[in-house]
């Protein structure tokens, strides 16, 4: 019998560590014969803490939103006592949504113990790298990657095989294999889940790439804000070394390879490969002109290859099953599966791995369960701060590189921020441009100054100070920043502005000309009034008003002086009778 507690970051945040402790105490107290282990995030973050119980006959029961009371019922079940554990079982629809996914990068996440190398080995772990170094030449490995059609999962979708071939063909006795785990997009946590839930699969993918390009040393550049991921990756590296899987003469061959971890300081721009290399070298993370490309002159001016976590996580499956099997999944120009992080106004937030070509509708209303609170779907931001807002009318857009580019958005690393009718698209554009301004390295004028000017205009519009000509000025600035920036951060940073102007121009016009925010999010544009028929004169709104804008007599309708009102919204929040109208 086995009990597994989901202890990814989402599970820990929901109280999984305490649940594990309670289970451990109960198992010991009742003398229950079972194995208690941890696992990573299975993707259903909205159901955490999650506990899986595998009985001696192999039957699996998944318990969700597990509380201390639920632990007690589960322990009673294990002791064959009368219990009510059934009420905590996963709903059939949630299980069906999980089963419907096609998991490759996430195949072991939420299933195996990431801190136990034996469980990875039992799941065919390290068989792919063994096959490569004992049966295939580096050129044959690259051919298999070419047959798979795997594009880089960091956002650009650049062919993985071509990067590996370029690095292999570069002159030099020393080459580096680098993993970009500097996941900085707001709302994105795919790479974190892979490292926390299946670090050995990442290691194996990196090793295969290293064998292909002729590298004996690798580096994982992971953001310092992922402490659990770093701890589990460090442990996995130690375990692999102890088993002779990392180090000298791996599997009795001439192939030697070792891996190190570098914790990044949290600069979003270090997701760009040349900025990442600069940071690895101890310099400020700033992009460099290309060429030369990293494959020619990268880390320490030596040939280097960089792929992100999800890209590497696909590699062992491809080698075990064949490139053609991976290419059979997805669309003509976008092969395989893609992991997405569902955040925002979604009912069921978490991770989903689906074939390329799946529509936005299928993800939002299938895996994601629709919009929280039953509100209307308005848009989805894809590609992070460098992506674009795709409106509800395009909800049947297929998710592949070509289709998303046609909307003005990009695939990005896979973050999907879902927005409902209460989202102000002007404010959303302002949020992402503010993020870019804060994260810009400042090297190029267009990115450093152009984005700042766009932010100033957007802030003015959201504050009710928009002017005639602001829309045209924003559009012109966006195109100039896009064309004049050095790296991908600046080149794509105007996308939130361009797509919201393209699909939600009416909201900009309402802000500028009518001084109204139809989503009721931009407080300076809101007007608060008391509805006489609903107000009972309880005085609560007046007591909470910080500016003294509300006056009246008890048991009679109160009045809001809009000259004094600072649009804080306290009156509407505290009114129990919905007597405060917001317009």
């Amino acid at each position: 019998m086995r009990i597994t507690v989901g202890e990814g970051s989402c599970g820990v945040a929901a109280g999984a560590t305490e649940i594990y402790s309670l289970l451990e105490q109960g198992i010991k107290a009742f003398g229950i014969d079972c194995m208690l282990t941890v696992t990573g995030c299975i993707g259903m973050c909205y159901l955490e803490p999650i506990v899986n119980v595998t009985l001696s006959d192999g039957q699996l029961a998944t318990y969700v939103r597990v509380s201390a009371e639920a632990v007690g019922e589960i322990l009673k079940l294990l002791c064959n006592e009368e219990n009510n554990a059934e009420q905590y079982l996963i709903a059939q629809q949630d299980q069906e949504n999980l089963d419907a996914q096609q998991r490759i990068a996430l195949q072991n996440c939420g299933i195996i113990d990431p801190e136990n190398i034996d469980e990875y080995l039992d799941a065919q772990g390290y068989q792919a790298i063994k096959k490569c170094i004992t049966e295939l030449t580096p050129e044959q490995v690259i051919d298999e990657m070419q047959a798979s059609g795997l594009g880089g999962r960091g956002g650009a979708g650049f062919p993985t095989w071509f990067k590996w071939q370029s690095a292999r063909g570069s002159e030099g006795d020393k080459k580096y294999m680098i993993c970009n785990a500097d996941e900085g997009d707001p709302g994105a946590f795919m790479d974190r889940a892979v490292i926390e839930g299946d670090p050995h699969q990442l290691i194996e993918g990196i090793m295969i790439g290293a064998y292909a390009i002729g590298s004996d040393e690798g580096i994982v550049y992971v953001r310092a804000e992922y402490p659990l991921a770093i701890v589990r990756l460090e442990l996995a590296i130690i375990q692999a070394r102890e088993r002779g899987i990392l180090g000298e003469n791996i599997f009795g061959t001439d192939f030697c390879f070792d891996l190190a971890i570098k914790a990044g300081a949290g600069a979003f721009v270090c997701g760009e490969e040349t900025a990442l290399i600069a940071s690895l070298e101890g310099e400020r993370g700033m992009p460099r002109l290309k060429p030369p490309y990293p494959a020619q002159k990268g880390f320490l001016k030596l040939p280097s290859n960089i792929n992100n976590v999800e890209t590497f996580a696909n590699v062992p499956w491809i080698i075990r099953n064949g490139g053609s099997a991976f290419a059979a999944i997805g669309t003509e120009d976008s092969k395989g599966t893609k992991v997405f992080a569902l955040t925002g106004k979604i009912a069921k937030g978490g991770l989903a791995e689906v074939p390329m070509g799946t529509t936005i509708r299928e993800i939002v209303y299938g895996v994601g369960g629709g919009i929280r609170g039953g509100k209307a779907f308005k848009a989805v931001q894809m590609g992070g701060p460098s992506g674009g807002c795709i409106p509800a009318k395009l909800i049947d857009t297929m998710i592949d590189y070509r289709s998303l580019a046609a909307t003005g958005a990009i695939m990005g690393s896979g973050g999907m921020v879902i927005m409902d009718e209460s989202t102000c698209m002007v404010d959303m554009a302002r949020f992402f441009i503010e993020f870019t301004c804060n994260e810009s390295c400042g090297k190029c004028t267009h990115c450093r100054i152009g984005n700042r000017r766009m932010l100033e205009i957007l802030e003015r519009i959201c504050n009710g100070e928009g002017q005639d000509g602001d829309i045209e000025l924003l559009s012109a600035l966006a195109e100039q920043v896009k064309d004049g920036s050095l790296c991908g951060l600046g080149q794509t940073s105007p996308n939130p502005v361009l797509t919201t102007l393209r699909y939600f121009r009416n909201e900009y016009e309402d802000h500028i000309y009518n001084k109204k925010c139809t989503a009721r999010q931009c407080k300076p544009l809101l007007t608060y009034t008391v509805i006489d028929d609903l107000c009972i004169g309880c005085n609560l709104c007046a007591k909470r008003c910080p500016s003294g804008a509300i006056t009246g007599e008890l048991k009679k309708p109160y009045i809001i002086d809009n000259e004094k009102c600072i649009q804080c919204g306290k009156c509407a929040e505290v009114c129990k009778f919905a007597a405060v109208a917001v317009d």
Side-chain angles (χ1 to χ4, degrees), residues 19 91 101 140 168 185 234 302 348 516 526 566:
I19 297 302
Q101 297 179 36
Q140 287 175 317
R168 177 160 187 82
D185 289 10
E234 286 176 337
L302 297 171
K348 299 178 179 179
K516 295 290 183 183
L526 301 182
I566 60 173

Side-chain angles (χ1 to χ4, degrees), residues 557-569:
Y558 275 62
I559 299 172
I560 300 176
D561 184 348
N562 284 298
E563 293 295 324
K564 294 182 179 180
C565 179
I566 60 173
Q567 293 86 25
C568 67

Side-chain angles (χ1 to χ4, degrees), residues 205-264:
I206 295 171
M207 291 177 70
I208 293 169
Y211 174 71
I213 73 169
S215 168
D216 64 356
E217 189 172 349
I219 306 170
V220 181
Y221 185 95
V222 57
R223 61 184 306 177
E225 294 93 334
Y226 285 175
L228 181 58
I230 292 174
V231 167
R232 287 184 175 163
L233 184 58
E234 286 176 337
L235 178 60
I237 290 172
I238 292 170
Q239 291 175 342
R241 286 180 185 145
E242 290 174 347
R243 298 296 180 93
I245 295 171
L246 283 175
E248 302 292 323
N249 304 115
I250 299 169
F251 292 117
T253 68
D254 293 333
F255 178 58
C256 305
F257 182 77
D258 208 350
L259 195 59
I261 298 173
K262 165 67 176 178

Side-chain angles (χ1 to χ4, degrees), residues 449-467:
I449 304 298
N451 279 315
R452 180 63 59 181
R453 296 291 87 84
M454 281 197 289
L455 176 61
E456 290 169 355
I457 295 169
L458 289 165
E459 287 178 335
R460 191 171 72 239
I461 293 173
C462 290
N463 287 330
E465 300 167 358
Q467 304 168 7

Side-chain angles (χ1 to χ4, degrees), residues 65 96 109 195 218 234 257 275 287 296 354 369 443 447 454 554:
R65 299 191 179 99
E96 288 175 356
C109 293
I195 302 174
E234 286 176 337
F257 182 77
Q296 303 159 326
V354 296
K443 186 171 186 176
C447 183
M454 281 197 289
L554 284 174

Side-chain angles (χ1 to χ4, degrees), residues 379-382 387-391 394 407-409 417 419 425 428-429 432 495-500 502-504:
V380 56
Q381 170 78 5
M382 293 204 59
C389 294
I390 302 173
L394 298 180
T407 70
V417 182
M419 305 169 210
M425 303 311 296
M428 183 59 64
F432 283 112
N495 283 342
V497 173
L498 290 170
T499 51
T500 51
R502 178 177 175 181
Y503 299 116
F504 301 97

Side-chain angles (χ1 to χ4, degrees), residues 454 470-481 498 501:
M454 281 197 289
D470 277 348
I471 292 176
E472 292 73 20
L473 182 56
L474 268 176
S475 182
L477 277 169
E479 293 295 343
Q480 290 171 15
V481 172
L498 290 170
L501 283 173

